[in-house]
Amino acid sequence: MQTFQPPRRILMGPGPSDVSPRVLAALARPTVGHLDPAFQDLMEEIKAALQRLFNAPDHACIPLPAPGTAGMEAAMMNLLEPGDRAVVAVNGAFGGRMADMADRAGATVTVVESEWGRPVDPARVETALAEAPAKVLAFVHAETSTGARSDAAALCALARKHGALSVVDCVTSLGGIPVDVAAWDADVVYSGTQKCLSAPPGLSPIALGPRAQAAIKARRTKVRNWLLDFNLIMAYWGGEGGRTYHHTAPINALYGLHESLVALFEEGVQAAAVRHARMHEALADGLEAAGLKLLVEETWRLPQLNTVLIPEGVDEVAVRAHVLEAWDLEIGAGLGPLKGKVWRIGLMGASATPWHVRLCLTALCDALAAQGVAVDPAAVRAAAEAKLAA
């Protein structure tokens, strides 16, 4: 057995994204104990920073010790008990996963389907909420499987109108497009570190509002997931009267998250959103010049996750293999009904730069040309540069 030396890849798939050198350096700092006073000070800084990033001053904000999916599971398992009704909007793979988790929590699940590549339809959601009382309305703000954004403010308002708690998946949106928990009046919002925050995978920032906290305290049964039981984990992260041991925190991963938040606030959250939008516009114009089209209509596109329709006759697997082997560039494949029909190109966090846009377009032109597709690389570059220079 020998030391593992990973290849140097450029990560432009649906996640993880590139991790900046300063975050990688933070990960290598000396490990301390999870109850060390210095580490407890760091915990408080992370909690305050997440409140600021989510714009959730009245929420308990902590990073769960597992990937973004843990935020989803924590929300469902803490809020739902057997016999509760959950309305889950599904417009992609991760909405479907929410529905599965709600079912595993013992809830009666009403699924509201929308077409993949389209936003969640608020009218259909309201019809489902009006049919019978529901404890939870769950939906994905930024659907990673399609690149479509849904109207979180409108959907959270429907939850409030019908007396349901809102659960919002912001795994792909946080740090890339505005996430405004206070304005949405959302109850539970969760994310992941490996997308627009550009920290390594393995942590799930989550914001838990007062109504959700009250619902968890009023449960009739134990939460089915011990590690993610908020009644237990908040005794460690809450810190009131001293922290109670719950788990050994992933110390160095939290160093990385902290540094990624420092970098984001140095840039400015709004400036980061503008950067993501600008890189998306340049990439989209370059793709169009190459004869490629995006799945999602412009109004609902995620700048950080671009879903590209594969031209007829093109071997999509061969294109991904070509850009990986020749350019060390990773792009993603389609999921579910979009498998074999789309590529998913991420412009997330440290991967949302002019250099990444130029490299991706150049590599795609090369891969398409290798399959005999007529592409004018100069026109593609010119289309992108026009936006990058604006």
Side-chain angles (χ1 to χ4, degrees):
M1 189 173 184
Q2 297 180 337
T3 300
F4 176 63
Q5 295 292 344
R8 177 66 176 94
R9 305 294 196 199
I10 298 98
L11 301 179
M12 295 188 68
S17 61
D18 283 349
V19 178
S20 72
R22 65 186 288 181
V23 172
L24 290 174
L27 294 166
R29 290 171 187 157
T31 304
V32 297
H34 63 280
L35 293 175
D36 188 289
F39 182 69
Q40 293 188 47
D41 290 343
L42 181 77
M43 292 169 69
E44 293 303 308
E45 286 193 17
I46 290 173
K47 286 161 58 179
L50 291 177
Q51 282 185 315
R52 177 180 170 188
L53 180 57
F54 279 119
N55 190 28
D58 296 328
H59 287 54
C61 296
I62 64 170
L64 297 172
T69 302
M72 181 188 295
E73 184 160 6
M76 295 306 184
M77 295 302 170
N78 277 271
L79 293 181
L80 293 171
E81 298 184 74
D84 288 339
R85 179 172 181 255
V87 174
V88 183
V90 176
N91 65 330
F94 295 94
R97 188 174 293 183
M98 289 178 120
D100 186 9
M101 288 188 184
D103 177 69
R104 289 168 185 250
T108 300
V109 181
T110 299
V111 172
V112 180
E113 297 272 4
S114 294
E115 181 183 351
W116 284 43
R118 299 282 299 168
V120 171
D121 185 343
R124 292 183 185 178
V125 168
E126 179 151 39
T127 297
L129 288 170
E131 288 174 353
K135 187 173 186 180
V136 161
L137 166 64
F139 64 92
V140 179
H141 178 222
E143 180 53 73
T144 315
S145 62
T146 68
R149 175 183 61 83
S150 291
D151 188 340
L155 293 167
C156 288
L158 288 176
R160 293 270 52 77
K161 177 181 176 181
H162 292 275
L165 296 167
S166 52
V167 174
V168 190
D169 181 314
C170 289
V171 169
T172 296
S173 49
L174 188 67
I177 57 175
V179 170
D180 195 335
V181 172
W184 297 346
D185 196 17
D187 292 300
V188 179
V189 177
Y190 61 85
S191 188
T193 50
Q194 76 277 16
K195 308 277 188 174
C196 296
L197 298 185
S198 281
L203 294 172
S204 179
I206 192 166
L208 193 72
R211 291 183 296 256
Q213 293 178 52
I216 294 168
K217 289 178 181 177
R219 287 179 63 96
R220 305 178 304 276
T221 59
K222 285 185 177 181
V223 176
R224 293 189 175 189
N225 186 311
W226 189 93
L227 177 63
L228 302 177
D229 182 344
F230 281 115
N231 291 312
L232 301 176
I233 200 169
M234 288 307 297
Y236 174 56
W237 273 95
E240 293 81 4
R243 301 185 194 279
T244 301
Y245 169 71
H246 176 259
H247 67 284
T248 302
I251 311 295
N252 291 63
L254 289 164
Y255 295 169
L257 171 59
H258 182 272
E259 189 65 23
S260 75
L261 293 170
V262 170
L264 180 57
F265 291 136
E266 284 178 358
E267 179 182 10
V269 176
Q270 185 175 357
V274 171
R275 170 170 55 86
H276 281 85
R278 182 165 162 257
M279 295 308 106
H280 159 74
E281 290 170 359
L283 179 68
D285 282 9
L287 292 171
E288 184 178 351
L292 300 171
K293 299 184 182 301
L294 294 174
L295 172 71
V296 181
E297 65 179 74
E298 189 171 353
T299 303
W300 300 107
R301 284 178 194 163
L302 295 174
Q304 65 270 46
L305 199 290
N306 299 266
T307 307
V308 183
L309 293 167
I310 297 166
E312 187 175 351
V314 170
D315 184 338
E316 73 90 8
V317 176
V319 167
R320 287 189 290 111
H322 183 101
V323 299
L324 187 66
E325 293 166 8
W327 296 89
D328 283 321
L329 173 66
E330 178 185 278
I331 62 174
L335 297 176
L338 296 179
K339 184 177 182 180
K341 298 179 181 179
V342 300
W343 297 303
R344 290 182 296 154
I345 299 177
L347 290 170
M348 300 180 185
S351 296
T353 73
W355 183 85
H356 284 83
V357 171
R358 293 178 182 119
L359 176 74
C360 183
L361 291 172
T362 301
L364 280 175
C365 287
D366 181 43
L368 290 169
Q371 293 197 33
V373 179
V375 183
D376 182 352
V380 171
R381 286 195 298 271
E385 291 298 335
K387 279 287 168 34
L388 291 174

